[in-house]
Amino acid sequence: MTKILVVDDESSIVTLLQFNIEKAGFDVVTAEDGRTGYELALTEKPDLIVLDLMLPEMDGIEVCKQLRQDKVETPILMLTAKDDELDKIIGLELGADDYLTKPFSPREVVARIKAILRRSAGKSAEVETEVAPKEKALHVGDLKILTESYEVYLQDELLDLTPKEFELLLYLANHRGKVFSRDQLLDAVWNYDYIGETRIVDVHVSHLRDKIEADTKKPQYIKTIRGFGYKMENVKS
């Protein structure tokens, strides 16, 4: 059975989420502080983590950061009582897959969980359809993108990309020369309706540029198309 870890310091929310998530057919493990949640993420190996931002012992941002540093790629749905774009962006930058702002409906949480799990399960299939069957790597200029191991090298140096940074880079690399709006990239890479949340794309592009561009003010790989969106240039090696 698919296992969901719920980490929230409000007992009433934990009980509500556990009831509804189990009702949807999932197994649920719970924790009410960040330290315990982090340890359970390592020992229980859940298929998805529902993680509150404000937690005792270890806040949600630190839990997310530590898990990604430990190379734990379990999908994370972050919960926050703060309607603050900065908190959302920080969480997404650190590798969270989605977020919900409190108050929320249990039905919405379950819907998000199912959507994230579908995306996670479909990654391998999506990569196979995006890349030619015999192609083990994509080469764009000095970038080498390994589609099966989710690794990117720049002049043979392994880059430290978050899962979403990798997926965005791979999508653009597979469609070199094509211009995409922010909404199109949200739909293609995040596969969820983030109406009005195009800042997420800008942040991920900015972080990608920091890691792959020699000069972020004059990007060679990912170009901004003013008033529309972004495209990846077909850079030659």
Side-chain angles (χ1 to χ4, degrees):
M1 185 180 292
T2 301
K3 185 185 295 184
I4 309 298
L5 170 60
V6 175
V7 188
D8 196 299
D9 63 335
E10 296 184 54
S11 298
S12 58
I13 291 180
V14 171
T15 300
L16 181 65
L17 289 178
Q18 182 172 9
F19 173 79
N20 283 274
I21 294 171
E22 287 180 341
K23 187 178 178 182
F26 301 108
D27 189 19
V28 178
V29 180
T30 66
E32 294 190 9
D33 68 80
R35 177 65 61 183
T36 302
Y38 168 70
E39 292 171 354
L40 286 175
L42 298 179
T43 58
E44 293 289 333
K45 301 186 185 308
D47 298 283
L48 183 141
I49 302 169
V50 179
L51 180 65
D52 188 29
L53 182 67
M54 301 300 292
L55 293 168
E57 303 293 335
M58 192 178 191
D59 67 33
I61 292 293
E62 186 60 30
V63 173
C64 183
K65 180 180 178 180
Q66 191 60 55
L67 287 173
R68 294 314 186 222
Q69 287 179 348
D70 293 341
K71 306 300 181 184
V72 176
E73 301 298 341
T74 306
I76 295 174
L77 171 59
M78 188 164 281
L79 307 178
T80 174
K82 296 181 178 180
D83 191 13
D84 187 338
E85 184 180 19
L86 180 60
D87 291 318
K88 301 170 186 176
I89 296 302
I90 290 173
L92 293 166
E93 285 178 1
L94 291 174
D97 294 78
D98 201 350
Y99 68 84
L100 273 174
T101 301
K102 296 178 181 179
F104 48 74
S105 71
R107 181 179 297 179
E108 185 176 12
V109 174
V110 172
R112 295 286 185 99
I113 287 172
K114 290 180 177 179
I116 294 170
L117 289 174
R118 282 197 302 270
R119 293 201 301 269
S120 180
K123 279 181 181 178
S124 297
E126 289 172 5
V127 168
E128 289 173 3
T129 57
E130 291 283 358
V131 183
K134 294 182 180 180
E135 190 171 19
K136 299 298 182 182
L138 284 176
H139 294 270
V140 184
D142 291 328
L143 287 174
K144 180 170 69 174
I145 305 171
L146 302 181
T147 60
E148 294 180 2
S149 60
Y150 269 52
E151 293 180 341
V152 178
Y153 291 82
L154 177 61
Q155 294 181 337
D156 297 324
E157 179 183 350
L158 178 62
L159 301 180
D160 183 18
L161 302 187
T162 67
K164 273 290 173 281
E165 287 169 359
F166 177 88
E167 291 174 32
L168 177 58
L169 181 65
L170 178 61
Y171 188 79
L172 290 170
N174 276 316
H175 300 86
R176 294 187 291 280
K178 183 175 180 180
V179 180
F180 291 97
S181 69
R182 292 167 176 81
D183 286 327
Q184 287 173 322
L185 290 173
L186 280 171
D187 183 60
V189 177
W190 280 261
N191 194 26
Y192 194 86
D193 187 9
Y194 282 82
I195 297 175
E197 299 290 351
T198 55
R199 171 70 174 153
I200 295 169
V201 175
D202 295 335
V203 168
H204 281 73
V205 168
S206 176
H207 279 265
L208 275 175
R209 283 174 171 164
D210 287 340
K211 296 174 182 180
I212 69 175
E213 301 284 3
D215 184 352
T216 57
K217 293 182 179 179
K218 297 180 180 179
Q220 179 184 17
Y221 292 99
I222 303 177
K223 296 291 183 70
T224 300
I225 308 302
R226 190 176 298 277
F228 191 75
Y230 299 101
K231 74 170 180 176
M232 173 167 274
E233 294 285 17
N234 192 19
V235 180
K236 301 297 182 181
S237 301

